[in-house]
């Protein structure tokens, strides 16, 4: 894993935005895996700003979101579809027919939606870059602790903690889903490159378990230790419980100098 610790959340979004923009410049027809949630908001703002400045285009980009609530229509402002429209899709030149979420229409069998989603990802040639956040309990997508490390897109029940963590976004009278369709852990691991963003002290324990803990289904993000190309962007607060911090900073310095000398852009 390449672990990059930056001073604050804005620097994390700026670094992530540069990384995604760099990829879009080299490969305009990139297939992006997208995440929702509070952490990614600043990243999407950066991407929208770059698009407005004429630096990047999404015209040929295809996107697959990690997850979507079950039982929430796309028109519901709480849906991840609505989130994506609001924060990114409505502000860039992406073709709406190439934006996918694991959405389950009323009356559709969610089991079939999961399988179909996998097929769509394969048909698009697989995901080039998967953007991830991390839950306080170490989940990625909605793959909660104890999820099969070999899982594919399917229905998951959210933990009480995840429901509580996300309740800040729902008013008391609003229906808050307990079920979601999410890419599986194996689906995420198939991405050619992964970019995980985590900010704030609340994430520090999950981040330390993901990077320095044992590989275990009880911290689904720990599977990323097995992926050959993961970049983790952290602010100081989210990096607060890492024991090996000095090494990550040292490695990042060496990577930067490798990049300057040879144009290499990562250390996995
Ligand atoms: C949510 C989403 C994840 C997201 C994570 C962190 O519940 N399903 O895709 O990465 O939990 O969210 P946040 O960035 O709001 O902390």
């Amino acid at each position: 894993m390449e672990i990059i610790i930056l001073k604050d959340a804005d620097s994390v979004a700026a670094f992530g935005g540069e990384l995604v923009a760099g990829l879009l410049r080299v490969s305009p027809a990139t297939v992006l895996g997208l995440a929702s949630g509070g952490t990614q908001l600043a990243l999407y703002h950066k991407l929208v700003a770059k698009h407005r400045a004429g630096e990047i285009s999404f015209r040929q980009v295809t996107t697959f979101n990690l997850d979507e609530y079950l039982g929430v229509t796309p028109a519901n402002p709480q849906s991840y579809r609505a989130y994506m429209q609001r924060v990114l899709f409505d502000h860039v030149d992406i073709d709406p027919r190439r934006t996918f979420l694991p959405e389950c229409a009323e009356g559709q069998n969610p089991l079939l939606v999961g399988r179909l989603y996998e097929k769509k990802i394969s048909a698009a040639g697989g995901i080039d870059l998967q953007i991830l956040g991390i839950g306080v309990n170490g989940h990625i997508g909605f793959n909660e602790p104890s999820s099969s490390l070999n899982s594919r897109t399917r229905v998951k029940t959210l933990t009480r903690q995840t429901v509580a963590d996300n309740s800040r976004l729902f008013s008391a009278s609003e229906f808050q889903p307990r079920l979601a369709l999410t890419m599986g852990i194996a689906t995420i691991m198939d991405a050619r490159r992964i970019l995980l963003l985590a900010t704030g002290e609340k994430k520090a324990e999950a981040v330390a378990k993901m990077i320095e803990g044992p590989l275990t289904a009880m911290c689904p993000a720990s599977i990323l230790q097995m992926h050959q190309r993961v970049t983790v962007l952290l602010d100081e607060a989210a990096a607060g419980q890492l024991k090996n911090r000095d090494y990550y900073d040292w490695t990042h310095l060496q990577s930067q100098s490798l990049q300057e000398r040879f144009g290499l852009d990562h250390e996995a």
Side-chain angles (χ1 to χ4, degrees), residues 65-68 102 114 117-118 140-144 147 152-156 180-185 187-188:
N65 265 74
L66 277 171
D67 42 24
E68 178 57 286
Y117 202 60
E118 294 283 333
I140 44 176
F142 272 132
N143 295 286
E144 301 284 30
S147 288
R152 292 275 161 194
T153 307
R154 71 219 182 288
V155 176
K156 279 300 291 183
L181 265 147
T182 179
M183 275 187 205
I185 294 179
T187 321
I188 293 169

Side-chain angles (χ1 to χ4, degrees), residues 35-39 66-67 80 133-135 139 141-142 162 166 168 203:
S36 43
T39 312
L66 277 171
D67 42 24
Y80 283 162
I134 183 170
H139 74 211
F142 272 132
T162 299
N166 289 348
R168 69 186 193 280
K203 300 291 172 72

Side-chain angles (χ1 to χ4, degrees), residues 41-63:
L41 283 174
L43 172 70
Y44 296 139
H45 288 158
K46 300 279 181 198
L47 293 178
V48 169
K50 283 178 189 299
H51 171 68
R52 287 193 173 139
E55 290 175 35
I56 51 170
S57 168
F58 289 78
R59 198 164 299 131
Q60 298 179 58
V61 169
T62 302
T63 63

Side-chain angles (χ1 to χ4, degrees), residues 200-221:
E201 200 188 335
K202 262 181 77 179
K203 300 291 172 72
E205 188 184 342
V207 164
K209 284 184 175 159
M210 163 178 75
I211 297 171
E212 297 177 342
L215 198 171
T216 166
M218 291 314 287
C219 176

Side-chain angles (χ1 to χ4, degrees), residues 99-178:
T99 63
F100 300 99
L101 287 90
E103 292 164 291
C104 188
E106 181 102 27
Q108 230 184 336
N109 179 346
L111 298 177
L112 299 183
V113 175
R115 270 180 242 153
L116 197 63
Y117 202 60
E118 294 283 333
K119 283 196 183 134
K120 281 188 199 155
I121 295 172
S122 298
I127 291 171
D128 293 307
L129 176 72
Q130 176 66 56
I131 295 167
L132 291 179
I134 183 170
V136 171
N137 61 7
H139 74 211
I140 44 176
F142 272 132
N143 295 286
E144 301 284 30
S146 79
S147 288
S148 161
L149 296 178
N150 221 3
S151 49
R152 292 275 161 194
T153 307
R154 71 219 182 288
V155 176
K156 279 300 291 183
T157 301
L158 311 188
T159 61
R160 290 181 203 277
Q161 182 181 3
T162 299
V163 172
D165 286 345
N166 289 348
S167 66
R168 69 186 193 280
L169 305 168
F170 291 81
S171 69
S173 59
E174 261 179 324
F175 162 69
Q176 189 184 350
R178 267 81 171 141

